[in-house]
């Protein structure tokens, strides 16, 4: 018999966990930069349309698949059709890879929370990050030496993450997010209020919100809006299917998806206000434009631009740094927990192992890979290449394949719509079928074509081809191969579970 499936204690617990998964590092450093680069205030219109026509419909789809089967992604897809199990294992492999490098960025944020007290990165934050802290090698390559200052906080991050996961859905993940999400909102709320009081904050807000209406006519802006929604809502790699599999039979799916989707987007806009208010202060102090101090969205914005801002503050700079990097840690850990839970849930379904052994074996394997690869002098290069390729040709590609298979090959959207409508406050109608059957595949397909065109035009970041074939293309192809192999492996337990999953899927 399959192990007894846990359930969330409350609907609020599930929603907070879903919000905790969606609100991660990318919300804080990626959205403000993407919005600024693609029309400022005018970007918010395509962004909102993308949320309504792709983000929330995809959330509802994944919630429905997970709740309907009450299994992890491989067996949730298997309930739709046996060959579709490959998609689920593909997503599990993606989560394994992402978790290994996502944890190390959280470890950086842990150290930078401490660095904020003495502003240790002065006088050159970029040199401090690259040379002093990460001790980055001169060129990409495989592991040669370890960096102790990155390794020990990474071990601590994994200890906390696996500890929460070992406690289970109710006592671990649900309770943790009931602490993490209100604390994250409090910390970031204080940070935004403080940023708005800085001299020059209005200059930053003008840069962030001033609309470039001509941008709306550019296709690249719409692709960027949809891309931000896909990557920020934790859709496409099995997290929401996994979380929804622990829901009760009467859970409201559409209402929960709308709450989680709008909460995520609200936090992104709040992050944009806080980040650009701070950038406006720095630009005013330096006598330059906001674009001149922005740099790049991502690691550069978080670990180079923000330390510069903190060092420029006449007072309370250290507090600002603690709030900012503390918020990164909390947002990161809540997302990391959800990513690792996908892998643990799939292994539990396949093997029947209890939770604690599953966490120790599976979570321990992910942690070990993370600790061996990333707190190294070459770790930043490996992280950059793996993140780029697994996002572009892992998450986005898996989402595209899943939508096409469900909507066009299996034609299961009407069945899933009816299942969601049985218990949902907001009923799904023709609009849901159109968005998932037409709009989402077209946008994701265009993103794939555009991305491949850019890859063929020039090697990513000018990295050596051999390095990219291993750490980039190799990783993207590897997760797909692992998915195919795991789906093909025979298992007596899988056969016993199949009858249960398929009977659940017919309900």
């Amino acid at each position: 018999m399959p192990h007894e499936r846990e359930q969330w204690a409350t609907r609020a617990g599930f929603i907070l966990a879903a919000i905790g998964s969606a609100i991660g590092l990318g919300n804080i450093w990626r959205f403000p930069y993407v919005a600024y680069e693609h029309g400022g205030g005018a970007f918010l219109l395509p962004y909102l349309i993308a949320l309504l026509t792709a983000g929330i419909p995809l959330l509802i789809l994944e919630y429905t698949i997970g709740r309907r089967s009450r299994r992890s992604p491989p067996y949730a897809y298997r309930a739709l059709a046996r060959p579709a199990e490959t998609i689920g294992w593909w997503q599990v492999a993606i989560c394994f890879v992402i978790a290994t490098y996502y944890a190390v960025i959280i470890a950086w944020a842990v150290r930078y929370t401490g660095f904020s007290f003495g502003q240790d990165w002065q006088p050159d934050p970029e040199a401090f990050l690259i040379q002093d802290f990460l001790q980055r090698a001169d060129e990409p390559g495989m592991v040669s030496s370890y960096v102790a200052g990155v390794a020990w906080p990474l071990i601590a991050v994994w200890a906390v993450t696996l500890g929460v996961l070992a406690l289970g859905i109710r006592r671990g993940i649900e309770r943790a997010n009931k602490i993490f999400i209100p604390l994250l909102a409090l910390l970031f709320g204080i940070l935004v209020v403080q940023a708005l009081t800085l001299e020059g904050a209005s200059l930053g807000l003008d840069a962030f919100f001033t609309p470039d209406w001509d941008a709306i006519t550019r296709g690249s802006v719409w692709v960027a809006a949809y891309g931000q929604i896909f990557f920020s809502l934790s859709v496409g790699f099995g997290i929401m299917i996994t979380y929804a599999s622990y829901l009760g039979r009467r859970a409201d799916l559409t209402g929960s998806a709308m709450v989680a989707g709008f909460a995520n987007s609200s936090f992104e806009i709040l992050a944009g206000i806080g980040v650009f208010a701070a950038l406006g202060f720095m630009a005013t102090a330096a006598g330059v434009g906001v674009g001149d101090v922005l740099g790049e969205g991502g690691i550069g914005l978080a670990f180079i631009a923000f330390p510069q801002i903190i060092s420029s503050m006449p007072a309370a700079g250290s507090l600002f740094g603690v709030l900012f990097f503390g918020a990164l840690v909390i947002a990161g850990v809540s997302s990391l927990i959800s990513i690792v839970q996908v892998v643990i849930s799939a292994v539990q379904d396949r093997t029947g192992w209890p939770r604690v052994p599953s966490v120790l074996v599976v979570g321990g394997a992910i942690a070990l890979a993370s600790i061996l690869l990333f707190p190294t002098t070459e770790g930043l290069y490996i992280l950059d290449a793996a993140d780029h390729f697994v996002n572009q040709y892992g998450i986005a590609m898996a989402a595209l394949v899943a939508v096409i298979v469900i909507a066009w090959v299996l034609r299961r959207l009407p069945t899933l719509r009816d299942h969601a409508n049985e218990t949902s406050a907001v009923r799904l109608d023709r609009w849901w079928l159109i968005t998932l059957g037409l709009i989402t595949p077209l946008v994701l397909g265009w993103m794939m074509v555009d991305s491949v065109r850019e890859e063929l035009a020039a090697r990513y970041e000018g990295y050596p081809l051999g390095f990219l074939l291993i750490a980039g293309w190799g990783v993207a192809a590897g997760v797909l191969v692992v998915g195919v192999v795991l789906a093909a492996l025979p298992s007596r337990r899988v056969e016993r579970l199949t009858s249960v999953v398929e009977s659940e899927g017919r309900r």
Side-chain angles (χ1 to χ4, degrees), residues 433-450:
L433 303 178
I434 293 172
T435 56
L436 289 177
L438 185 62
I439 296 175
T440 299
L442 285 176
V443 175
L444 279 170
W446 174 252
M447 288 171 59
M448 288 297 98
V449 171
D450 190 58

Side-chain angles (χ1 to χ4, degrees), residues 68-338:
R68 183 171 180 262
S69 67
R70 303 197 70 236
R71 295 288 174 248
S72 58
Y75 305 108
Y77 281 107
R78 189 184 180 104
L80 298 174
R82 290 197 179 195
E85 181 184 341
T86 300
I87 300 173
W89 284 115
W90 185 11
Q91 294 178 340
V92 169
I94 289 170
C95 286
F96 188 105
V97 171
I98 291 175
T100 61
Y101 66 76
Y102 198 87
V104 79
I105 304 175
I106 303 170
W108 300 350
V110 170
R111 290 300 309 277
Y112 266 71
T113 304
F115 293 153
S116 297
F117 288 101
Q119 300 182 20
D120 298 354
W121 50 71
Q122 296 194 69
D124 187 345
E126 183 172 5
F128 177 82
L129 172 68
I130 302 299
Q131 299 171 15
D132 300 336
F133 178 50
L134 298 181
Q135 300 175 31
R136 189 186 70 180
D138 293 333
E139 58 185 24
M142 294 298 104
V143 173
S144 63
S145 60
Y146 285 84
V147 182
V150 178
W152 69 258
L154 178 59
I155 293 171
V157 167
W158 277 114
V160 171
T161 301
L162 299 186
V164 171
L165 287 165
L167 290 173
I169 297 298
R170 291 191 180 191
R171 294 190 300 124
I173 299 175
E174 184 167 345
R175 286 184 180 178
N177 278 288
K178 285 182 177 179
I179 298 172
F180 289 159
I181 302 309
L183 182 59
L184 176 62
L186 176 64
L187 289 178
F188 218 81
I190 296 172
L191 184 148
V192 169
V193 170
Q194 185 176 6
L196 291 173
T197 64
L198 297 172
E199 181 183 359
S202 59
L203 179 66
L205 295 180
D206 284 343
F208 181 52
F209 284 113
T210 298
D212 175 10
W213 294 114
D214 291 338
I216 290 183
T217 62
R218 297 198 294 266
S220 60
V221 172
W222 288 85
V223 171
Y226 277 88
Q228 178 63 27
I229 287 295
F230 291 137
F231 296 134
S232 72
L233 282 179
S234 294
V235 292
F237 51 117
I239 292 176
M240 294 308 176
I241 292 176
T242 302
Y243 270 10
S245 72
Y246 299 101
L247 280 171
R249 286 291 176 198
R250 307 306 302 171
D252 182 346
L253 300 180
T254 59
S256 298
M258 289 180 180
V259 171
F262 282 112
N264 173 75
S265 294
S266 297
F267 185 87
E268 287 196 318
I269 294 173
L270 182 67
I273 292 172
V275 167
F276 270 85
L279 290 170
F281 162 77
M282 186 176 175
T284 300
V288 298
V290 173
D292 296 322
V293 300
L294 177 60
E296 297 182 358
I299 292 171
L301 176 59
F303 295 98
I304 297 175
F306 254 81
Q308 290 176 331
I309 293 168
I310 293 163
S311 297
S312 302
M313 292 181 177
S318 296
L319 174 60
F320 193 90
V322 170
L323 291 172
F324 178 76
F325 290 110
L328 281 185
V329 171
I330 295 170
V333 169
S334 64
S335 293
L336 179 62
I337 288 170
S338 68

Side-chain angles (χ1 to χ4, degrees), residues 315-362:
S318 296
L319 174 60
F320 193 90
V322 170
L323 291 172
F324 178 76
F325 290 110
L328 281 185
V329 171
I330 295 170
V333 169
S334 64
S335 293
L336 179 62
I337 288 170
S338 68
I339 295 169
V340 179
Q341 175 59 28
V342 174
V343 189
I344 291 172
S345 177
V347 170
Q348 279 191 284
D349 280 351
R350 187 177 185 93
T351 64
W353 292 351
R355 170 163 285 273
V356 173
S358 298
V359 171
L360 292 178
V361 173
V362 179

